[in-house]
């Protein structure tokens, strides 16, 4: 088994929630809490949520993490 790691980032919008929810529905698990920070260039809050998933494939830098 291999543990994969991703960090989903997005402006603090409904789209961020949908991206995290979609990953959870595909078997990913939350890895700690979400983080938020103000982006002064865009003038918006940005969100980040780390997630992990156990898979039955060998790790390779060529893995498409969003498709696992």
């Amino acid at each position: 088994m291999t543990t994969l790691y991703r960090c989903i980032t997005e402006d603090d919008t409904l789209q961020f929630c949908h991206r995290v929810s979609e990953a959870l529905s595909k078997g990913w698990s939350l890895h700690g809490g979400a983080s938020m920070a103000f982006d002064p260039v865009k003038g918006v809050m940005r969100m980040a949520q780390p997630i992990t998933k156990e898979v039955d494939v060998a790790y390779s830098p060529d893995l498409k993490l969003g498709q696992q």
Side-chain angles (χ1 to χ4, degrees):
M1 287 295 254
T2 300
T3 302
L4 301 179
Y5 173 89
R6 291 173 56 199
C7 187
I8 297 173
T9 61
E10 183 81 40
D11 290 350
D12 186 15
T13 64
L14 188 57
Q15 179 64 24
F16 173 77
C17 297
H18 282 292
R19 289 182 64 202
V20 173
S21 295
E22 179 183 28
L24 294 175
S25 76
K26 292 180 177 180
W28 290 82
S29 299
L30 299 177
H31 186 75
S35 297
M36 51 184 341
F38 183 70
D39 179 343
V41 174
K42 293 176 74 177
V44 298
M45 293 301 290
R46 296 275 301 165
M47 300 294 296
Q49 176 62 62
I51 56 177
T52 59
K53 184 177 184 180
E54 297 289 327
V55 295
D56 260 343
V57 297
Y59 173 75
S60 164
D62 298 325
L63 280 174
K64 304 274 191 243
L65 297 177
Q67 296 174 0
Q68 293 297 316

